[in-house]
Each structure stands twice: as structure tokens, then as C-alpha cells.
Amino acid sequence: MTEKTKGLRPAGGQPDKRRAILTGALALFARDGYTRASLDGIAAEAGVSSRTIYNHFRDKAQLFEAVIQESSGRVADTQIAIIDRHLSKIVDLEADLVEFGTAWVAVMDSAAAPHFALVRQIHAELEHIPQTAVDAWRETGPRRVRGELAERLGRIADRGSLRIPDPDRAAVHLMLLVSNDNLPYGADRRNEKELTAMVTAGVHTFLHGYRP
Amino acid sequence: MTEKTKGLRPAGGQPDKRRAILTGALALFARDGYTRASLDGIAAEAGVSSRTIYNHFRDKAQLFEAVIQESSGRVADTQIAIIDRHLSKIVDLEADLVEFGTAWVAVMDSAAAPHFALVRQIHAELEHIPQTAVDAWRETGPRRVRGELAERLGRIADRGSLRIPDPDRAAVHLMLLVSNDNLPYGADRRNEKELTAMVTAGVHTFLHGYRP
DNA sequence: TTATCATTGCAACGAGCGTTGCAGTCAGAT
DNA sequence: ATCTGACTGCAACGCTCGTTGCAATGATAA
């Protein structure tokens, strides 16, 4: 509303409105969850009439699934970029892994923080989301990222720097260790120093667990 | 309703009713989450009039917090029992850790499955639960378990079987690795063989990461 | 028996929410 | 200028839910 519309508009609603809706819906779904988040709240957050949402999405459920898909794809791209940037050319394996882990937790805690709050909502709502949507999300999100990371680790193992019997499992282990999976086991909120200490310790454990 | 009341009854409602309410509320809160779960549904699940719930608990929020506390304490006791049973007397460290991990994931997947579904709901609802309740839960639940496991690991390290700079971190790493943290990274549902493979691989990584 | 008390069923309230219809407005395309 | 289509504000619907009040029931303790 506060901005002027510019450019052509394809069929099915204006794309900037759609993007605004998706962004606002991500924010509210992430914070409040599917049931608690209201369409009026989403509309307000997006700066859009609540009636417009029904111009772009069939109902609340489909909006939720669209938000999941959109956010998952975007974040997966970001994570894969981090993987490519830090794990393509290896010079010092431990140092490169630490830098990878640092970038990993940084993006999880800042830019992609709403997305991972949404992921917690998804995990809580799993019984109420149609299986097809869950499968689609897993495929375009975590599975794709895990596959990319597993491939990189496998390539490093081929060069002899690691011994990895199961690349998928190694990828999961590395992600778990460097991110502490969002403090589930009673950890406090971390400052900068504790954060790098966590990443370093995780990389250390991973490295000695998979080093030949 | 269907059972006869027996024994004395202390002030504030009958204890079997209270337990039935807590059990039913755990089941529904775990499956549906705080907002979606209705008091009528909980009352039906518990075999109790919805009016009776207000005899035992002030409102829905306090019932939720009571369920969290009750379930967390019970499950923490179970987990600590597993820790004591498998990590007190060490004969073969790797074998004992694998047995520990096997019992760990078994209880998470069966007896305590509703509790960990509830934990996922807590993680999703964190912004809507009073800080005091969150702190109380962390203390009687994950923190207490982590402390117990850290102490055991530290004692093993004192005997020279492990080299552990930070026992708390080591405890978190071990729990993450043996449980894969409830398949967040795109893992499929596991059968029995994959489950032991997961535990074994996790123990292997942990052990080589922390072995001197 | 009588008194106490937890439990129950029912009715009611007020609020919030998803969803739809309708009329009006505004910007771009012909 | 006219037409098209998207957006908006408003009102309304039906529904669910948390919560409370009230009268009735049944069991226990004196």
C-alpha cells in the first residue's frame, strides 16, 4: 500500500503483493504457528488487505504450504552457496570446516532465523500437514541440502582427507555438531565467543570421528 | 467416571482425576499443540468432565505448564536411569555406549514418544510461554539430564578412557549423535536395523572425536 | 442421617477466526 | 474514453473455543 506499483503484472495477482504476503506470512507463521497466526494479522504484517490474500491463495492451508516451499527453497539455496564457497577448494580441512560452520550458524541465527522458526512450527505441526506437502518440503529443503553437503564430503573423502562410509550420515553429523541444532538440550543463548567455541568443538569432534 | 474412587482424597480434587487429566492433556497437547488442542478434547481424552479440569487447574495455560513439568520430570528420571544403568560400570566403552544409545532411542521412540512430541510443541511455542515456565522446564528436564550425563562422561574421562575438555558439550554431542535429534535433516523413518546403524555410527563418531 | 465436597451435564456468554460477497477505487491497456 | 482487472474496506455468516454459573448426583466422613 505504501509503495507504488510499477512494471507489468502477469495473470493471477501482482507479484509484489504475492511476495509481500509470503514474507508477512512467514514472519507470523514462524512466530505464532499455523493455528495462532491469523489471516488479519498476516494481512496487516504484509501491508495488504486480508481480502487480497484470497486472490492469491485458495485458503490458509495452501498459503502455509506456499510459505514453506518458498522459504525452504530460498534458504536451501543460501546454504548450498555456503557449502560451495567453503568446501569446494580445501586448503586446510579443519580451518575450512570451521569457517563453513561459522557461516552456517551465522545464517541460521540472522538472515534465515525466521525460516528455522518456521521449521520448528513444521515439526510441531507434522501430524496436521498433508503428506504430499511434507514430502515436497523435505525434498526441496533439507534433503537437497544434505545431498549437496554429502557430495562435497564424499569428494573430500575420495581425495583421502576423510574416511566416510556413509556420506549422508556424515553430512547429518556435521550439521548437528556445528549447529547444536538450535539449543535443544538446555543450552543457553550464546554470545560470539561461545558460538565459535561451539563450532570449533563440533568440527573437532566430527573431524576426529571421520579422519582416517 | 468409569472407575470407582478409593482411598483418602486430599484437598484440591482427587489425585486420580488429576493424573487422568494430565495424561490426556499430554496426549492432546503433544499431538495438536497448545492452541489447536481444545479443553473439551482433553476432557474427553481423560474421561473427565471439562468442568472438572477447572477444579484442578486455573486455566488452559496453567494446565499446559503443569503438563510440561510433570512429563519432563518423569522422562528425565527415565533417562537418568538409563545413564546410570549403562554408564556406571564401564567394561567395553564402545559396546556400553552403543547399548546406552540403543536404550536411549528406544525410550524416545516408544514410551516417551508423546513427551518428545510435546517438546517439539514447546520449541514451537517458546515465544508464548512465560519465561519462568521455560526456565523451570529446562532445569527439571534437559539441563538435569545433560548434567547427569556430563558427570558420567567426566568420570570416564578421569579414568583416562576419554579426553573431554568440556563435559557439558560432550554430553550434548553424544545425545545429538545417538539420537539424530528426531530426524530433522530429511531422514526417513527408520526400521530396527537402520536404527542400530545410526546409534553405532553416532557412537563411533563421538568416540573417535573424544578418544585420547 | 447429615454435612461436605468433588464431579457432572447443561446452558450461556463473549471473543476470535476463516471465509465470502459486495461495492467502490485506482492503475494500466486498448 | 473505455474497459479490464487487481486491490480495498466493510459487513456478515457460521463455527469453535475458553470460561463461568448453576443445579443435580454421588460418595465419603462425622
Side-chain angles (χ1 to χ4, degrees):
Chain A
M1 252 303 287
T2 61
E3 270 134 332
K4 311 221 77 164
T5 57
K6 49 206 169 219
L8 316 177
R9 77 205 124 107
Q14 303 211 146
D16 45 343
K17 294 287 177 183
R18 183 186 168 92
R19 172 124 45 179
I21 294 171
L22 286 172
T23 305
L26 170 61
L28 283 211
F29 280 142
R31 176 162 56 100
D32 297 342
Y34 176 78
T35 310
R36 204 191 289 257
S38 75
L39 278 173
D40 286 339
I42 293 172
E45 177 81 13
V48 160
S49 164
S50 81
R51 199 60 183 77
T52 303
I53 297 181
Y54 287 93
N55 261 345
H56 293 259
F57 304 94
R58 186 170 12 90
D59 54 11
K60 196 187 183 185
Q62 198 222 319
L63 171 62
F64 189 55
E65 297 180 14
V67 169
I68 292 174
Q69 277 296 322
E70 217 273 338
S71 184
S72 297
R74 189 197 307 272
V75 171
D77 289 343
T78 303
Q79 292 184 306
I80 290 176
I82 293 177
I83 294 172
D84 289 344
R85 188 177 320 125
H86 292 93
L87 301 182
S88 292
K89 302 294 175 189
I90 301 294
V91 301
D92 179 341
L93 184 53
E94 177 149 11
D96 289 337
L97 282 176
V98 169
E99 282 194 30
F100 158 77
T102 304
W104 193 262
V105 300
V107 73
M108 282 182 74
D109 277 358
S110 59
H115 169 75
F116 288 103
L118 179 73
V119 170
R120 287 193 287 277
Q121 302 293 343
I122 297 173
H123 282 144
E125 288 276 325
L126 268 186
E127 304 233 38
H128 304 280
I129 306 177
Q131 193 61 39
T132 66
V134 175
D135 292 340
W137 160 65
R138 286 231 166 89
E139 217 52 56
T140 67
R143 295 285 271 267
R144 194 168 127 244
V145 173
R146 187 191 63 175
E148 203 78 17
L149 181 56
E151 201 190 355
R152 291 288 177 197
L153 294 178
R155 222 169 289 171
I156 296 175
D158 289 343
R159 269 189 259 111
S161 304
L162 290 174
R163 185 177 49 84
I164 296 181
D166 185 337
D168 277 336
R169 177 129 48 206
V172 173
H173 279 175
L174 178 57
M175 291 188 287
L176 285 175
L177 290 171
V178 299
S179 65
N180 256 4
D181 203 57
N182 277 320
L183 44 130
Y185 289 108
D188 286 316
R189 204 68 192 157
R190 303 153 302 222
N191 57 34
E192 191 73 23
K193 190 158 62 176
E194 292 170 336
L195 208 129
T196 62
M198 179 192 74
V199 171
T200 306
V203 167
H204 184 86
T205 303
F206 173 82
L207 215 46
H208 288 73
Y210 283 102
R211 187 115 69 176
Chain B
M1 254 290 290
T2 61
E3 269 135 332
K4 312 220 76 162
T5 57
K6 50 208 170 219
L8 316 177
R9 77 205 125 106
Q14 303 212 146
D16 47 342
K17 294 288 178 183
R18 183 186 168 91
R19 173 123 46 179
I21 294 171
L22 286 173
T23 305
L26 170 61
L28 284 212
F29 280 142
R31 176 163 56 99
D32 297 342
Y34 176 78
T35 310
R36 204 190 289 256
S38 75
L39 279 173
D40 285 339
I42 293 173
E45 178 81 13
V48 158
S49 165
S50 82
R51 199 61 186 75
T52 303
I53 297 181
Y54 288 92
N55 261 346
H56 292 259
F57 305 95
R58 185 168 14 90
D59 54 11
K60 195 186 184 186
Q62 198 221 320
L63 171 62
F64 189 54
E65 298 181 14
V67 169
I68 291 174
Q69 277 297 324
E70 217 273 338
S71 184
S72 297
R74 188 198 309 272
V75 171
D77 289 342
T78 304
Q79 292 183 308
I80 289 176
I82 294 177
I83 294 172
D84 290 343
R85 187 177 321 124
H86 292 93
L87 301 182
S88 292
K89 301 295 175 189
I90 302 295
V91 301
D92 179 341
L93 185 53
E94 176 149 10
D96 289 336
L97 282 177
V98 169
E99 282 194 31
F100 157 77
T102 304
W104 193 262
V105 301
V107 73
M108 282 182 73
D109 277 357
S110 59
H115 170 75
F116 288 102
L118 178 72
V119 170
R120 287 192 288 277
Q121 303 293 344
I122 297 174
H123 282 145
E125 288 277 325
L126 268 187
E127 304 232 36
H128 304 280
I129 306 177
Q131 193 61 38
T132 67
V134 175
D135 292 340
W137 160 65
R138 285 231 166 89
E139 217 52 56
T140 66
R143 295 285 270 267
R144 194 169 127 243
V145 172
R146 186 191 63 175
E148 202 79 18
L149 181 56
E151 201 189 356
R152 291 287 177 198
L153 294 178
R155 223 169 290 172
I156 296 175
D158 290 341
R159 269 190 261 111
S161 304
L162 290 174
R163 184 177 51 84
I164 296 182
D166 185 337
D168 277 338
R169 178 129 48 206
V172 172
H173 280 174
L174 178 58
M175 290 188 289
L176 285 175
L177 290 170
V178 299
S179 65
N180 256 2
D181 204 56
N182 277 320
L183 44 129
Y185 289 108
D188 284 317
R189 204 69 194 156
R190 302 154 301 223
N191 57 36
E192 192 71 24
K193 190 158 61 175
E194 292 171 336
L195 208 127
T196 62
M198 179 192 74
V199 171
T200 306
V203 167
H204 184 86
T205 303
F206 174 82
L207 215 46
H208 289 73
Y210 283 101
R211 186 117 66 177

